[in-house]
Amino acid sequence: MPHSVQDLLAEGVRRTDEALERLLPGPDVLPHSIHRAMRHSVFAGGKRLRPLLAMETARAVAGSLPAAAADLGAAIEMIHTYSLIHDDLPALDNDDLRRGKPTCHVAFGEATAILAGDALQTLAYQTLSQLDCPADAAVQIVREVAIATGTGVGGSLAPGMIGGQVMDIEGEGQKPTAELVEAIHRAKTGALITVSIVSGGLLAGATAKQVAHLRAFGERAGLAFQIVDDILDVTQTSEELGKTAGKDTATEKATWPAVFGLEASREQAASLIRDAFTELDEFGPAADNLKAIANYLTERTY
Amino acid sequence: MPHSVQDLLAEGVRRTDEALERLLPGPDVLPHSIHRAMRHSVFAGGKRLRPLLAMETARAVAGSLPAAAADLGAAIEMIHTYSLIHDDLPALDNDDLRRGKPTCHVAFGEATAILAGDALQTLAYQTLSQLDCPADAAVQIVREVAIATGTGVGGSLAPGMIGGQVMDIEGEGQKPTAELVEAIHRAKTGALITVSIVSGGLLAGATAKQVAHLRAFGERAGLAFQIVDDILDVTQTSEELGKTAGKDTATEKATWPAVFGLEASREQAASLIRDAFTELDEFGPAADNLKAIANYLTERTY
């Protein structure tokens, strides 16, 4: 097992990229344009945070890294990437740069970008259906991922990723309330982070009780990460971020610092992470990697 | 079992719409806009051909209609609808009318239409993961559906639905060859029709040999249906079609009559259906409904 956070992050990127390289059609597979567009965005230099959380959760539950964990992580990264491609489109956020590179529609045109996003979602579910694990675990993972990335089914359930994107668009230009900002953050980014953790546990055969603790950990940590992202958008330059800084403020997006102020936001992120860690007591030292990653992500320079 | 094709079609619509009504979030579930956009396109008056094929295949294999067949059909219809919503977008076909109604982006704006398409794909996989059937059948269905609707993985495999859309876009304005037209038709519409039939069989516990026959039936029948659609685009008025007639010709889309002529296209469709029917010999009279539907669809007025 790697010892430093830097080693963990590097190993996560390596394993995820190896799986993505194997699972995505090559740039010369017909039709070329869409496969090149998919690869452009998938290999644009992501930190592979979600796959890393899936893999390290699976390792914490199983005691060693399950063979299928990298493919699970790759599938989640495909979904993350599809959501970024569509979010960047002119009709949505209209972003030209992502991680310092031209966004998919800038490089390949809007039609191809829309279809490349669609195809990444499709390939993610194909990948989940081909995971080397018992069929009932695979079906549970498909269900958890779909619910976490949907619009929210039934009034009582929290909306998923797409629901969060819609709330974000609808909220633009309005004065953000604390309630709305938290709902958007939990849905738009928190749900996918949480399901990365939950599905890693399911892949490793976690009990229902373990899954409940992992879900609670993911919900708290996911919200903390997004608060930190909001803080970074205010405090860092475009060069440091690899995207247009201050954009959230300029478009009056619902952000945490806009509602609570910078200092309170920092305190709340730290408090959420402390609460999140108590959910990992169940797993003892096996969860040390997960804690190290969560600490690293909430202690980024800001 | 219903006796006439009209009864079969009406029952297919009724069962599919009941399942869709139950599975789609209501128009007042937050966030409103996306759920209303999803329902606008899903309930725009489709013939529910693909769900009907899934249900009647499941009935042919199992001897009676499995309880989960309507939900399977509804999931496939969600995927069909998502592909139509995205295909109609300004960056793709730029269509204002679909089945005589405003397309999703005309009624709800582009951003919501893009996300509504995304969410319908997501909800389709959630629905498949919740089918009341053994987990290994559900996993196989997810895999078959994802492969059929993707871009084609590995050079030797035929591309799926999205691959067909890409080829269609790339081929516009070029003189269509017979090879290209067949490849686009098989991918863009044939693959989803085939997987409707295959997944109906899998839901009902079909053997590998039965699945192979169903797949061969679906491939031939699916191509025949698309040839008939191309013929109708040439010979019918916009009012009869419920969409802009002659649009394929005007944009020099790759169509069957453009390559083979009208009369030869009719003969080829009939010949494909005859070949398709020999694949159903395996099932005896249990496949009579499937044959009746296939006959009806290829004998539409033209």
Side-chain angles (χ1 to χ4, degrees), chain A residues 193-206:
Chain A
I193 287 172
T194 302
V195 85
S196 303
I197 292 160
V198 166
S199 61
L202 290 170
L203 181 74

Side-chain angles (χ1 to χ4, degrees), chain A residues 110 114, chain B residues 85-96 105 110:
Chain A
E110 251 186 273
I114 291 166
Chain B
I85 293 174
H86 284 186
D87 221 22
D88 287 337
L89 286 167
L92 285 101
D93 279 359
N94 194 22
D95 263 314
D96 291 344
H105 64 274
E110 254 186 272

Side-chain angles (χ1 to χ4, degrees), chain A residues 23 25 29-31 33-35 38 82 86 89 91-92 110-111 114-115 118-119 121-123 125-126 129-130 135-136 138-139 142-143 146-147 149-155 159 162-163 165-167 169-170, chain B residues 23 25 29-31 33-35 38 82 86 89 91-92 110-111 114-115 118-119 121-123 125-126 129-130 135-136 138-139 142-143 146-147 149-155 159 162-163 165-167 169-170:
Chain A
L23 293 164
V29 174
L30 288 169
S33 58
I34 190 158
H35 295 137
M38 290 160 78
Y82 115 70
H86 283 187
L89 286 167
L92 286 100
E110 251 186 273
I114 291 166
L115 295 174
D118 291 344
Q121 179 170 194
T122 310
L123 188 58
Y125 286 104
Q126 183 186 336
S129 75
Q130 293 175 324
D136 58 345
V139 171
V142 168
R143 182 166 52 234
I147 290 173
T149 59
T151 63
V153 175
I162 299 174
Q165 287 173 307
V166 176
M167 288 190 289
I169 293 169
E170 290 182 347
Chain B
L23 294 164
V29 174
L30 289 170
S33 59
I34 191 160
H35 295 138
M38 291 160 77
Y82 115 70
H86 284 186
L89 286 167
L92 285 101
E110 254 186 272
I114 291 166
L115 295 174
D118 291 346
Q121 180 172 193
T122 310
L123 187 59
Y125 286 104
Q126 183 187 337
S129 75
Q130 293 175 322
D136 58 345
V139 171
V142 168
R143 181 164 57 234
I147 291 173
T149 59
T151 65
V153 176
I162 300 174
Q165 287 174 306
V166 177
M167 288 191 288
I169 293 168
E170 290 181 349

Side-chain angles (χ1 to χ4, degrees), chain A:
Chain A
M1 201 185 288
H3 293 290
S4 75
V5 173
Q6 296 301 339
D7 284 352
L8 273 176
L9 291 168
E11 190 194 315
V13 169
R14 189 183 59 72
R15 284 187 193 272
T16 305
D17 285 8
E18 183 279 324
L20 286 166
E21 184 59 56
R22 179 165 39 77
L23 293 164
L24 280 162
D28 294 323
V29 174
L30 288 169
H32 294 163
S33 58
I34 190 158
H35 295 137
R36 289 174 187 177
M38 290 160 78
R39 299 178 74 92
H40 170 85
S41 293
V42 165
F43 295 113
K47 296 184 296 290
R48 314 305 191 198
L49 162 63
R50 292 157 192 80
L52 180 62
L53 290 170
M55 287 188 278
E56 290 305 329
T57 306
R59 188 184 340 235
V61 172
S64 64
L65 196 66
D71 284 21
L72 169 62
I76 290 169
E77 191 71 5
M78 290 177 203
I79 287 181
H80 178 54
T81 308
Y82 115 70
S83 80
L84 298 180
I85 293 174
H86 283 187
D87 220 20
D88 287 337
L89 286 167
L92 286 100
D93 278 359
N94 195 21
D95 263 315
D96 291 345
L97 276 183
R98 163 79 62 184
R99 294 168 184 155
K101 295 190 178 175
T103 46
C104 195
H105 64 275
V106 169
F108 293 89
E110 251 186 273
T112 302
I114 291 166
L115 295 174
D118 291 344
L120 282 169
Q121 179 170 194
T122 310
L123 188 58
Y125 286 104
Q126 183 186 336
T127 302
L128 295 179
S129 75
Q130 293 175 324
L131 287 178
D132 184 14
C133 70
D136 58 345
V139 171
Q140 277 189 70
I141 291 171
V142 168
R143 182 166 52 234
E144 289 277 354
V145 169
I147 290 173
T149 59
T151 63
V153 175
S156 62
L157 290 174
M161 182 182 76
I162 299 174
Q165 287 173 307
V166 176
M167 288 190 289
D168 203 13
I169 293 169
E170 290 182 347
E172 265 182 66
Q174 297 172 29
K175 184 154 175 59
T177 65
E179 207 175 25
L180 181 69
V181 173
E182 180 166 344
I184 292 175
H185 281 16
R186 285 190 184 277
K188 192 177 174 186
T189 56
L192 188 59
I193 287 172
T194 302
V195 85
S196 303
I197 292 160
V198 166
S199 61
L202 290 170
L203 181 74
T207 64
K209 188 182 164 215
Q210 287 178 320
V211 169
H213 282 297
L214 291 171
R215 197 183 303 275
F217 166 70
E219 284 169 0
R220 287 159 182 71
L223 186 54
F225 301 159
Q226 185 56 42
I227 293 173
V228 172
D229 259 6
D230 280 3
I231 295 170
L232 292 175
D233 184 75
V234 177
T235 58
Q236 287 202 337
T237 65
S238 298
E239 200 181 342
E240 287 168 314
L241 284 175
K243 61 182 179 184
T244 316
K247 175 138 186 159
D248 294 346
T249 319
T251 54
E252 292 194 13
K253 285 249 179 192
T255 71
W256 213 265
V259 174
F260 299 98
L262 215 48
E263 200 45 50
S265 297
R266 284 172 183 155
E267 280 163 21
Q268 286 170 48
S271 157
L272 277 163
I273 284 293
R274 279 194 301 274
D275 287 352
F277 281 5
T278 66
E279 301 290 340
L280 296 180
D281 290 347
E282 161 96 12
F283 302 94
D288 283 353
N289 280 355
L290 272 182
K291 287 186 186 171
I293 297 161
N295 265 331
Y296 168 81
L297 287 166
T298 46
E299 285 168 0
R300 288 174 287 171
T301 326
Y302 59 86

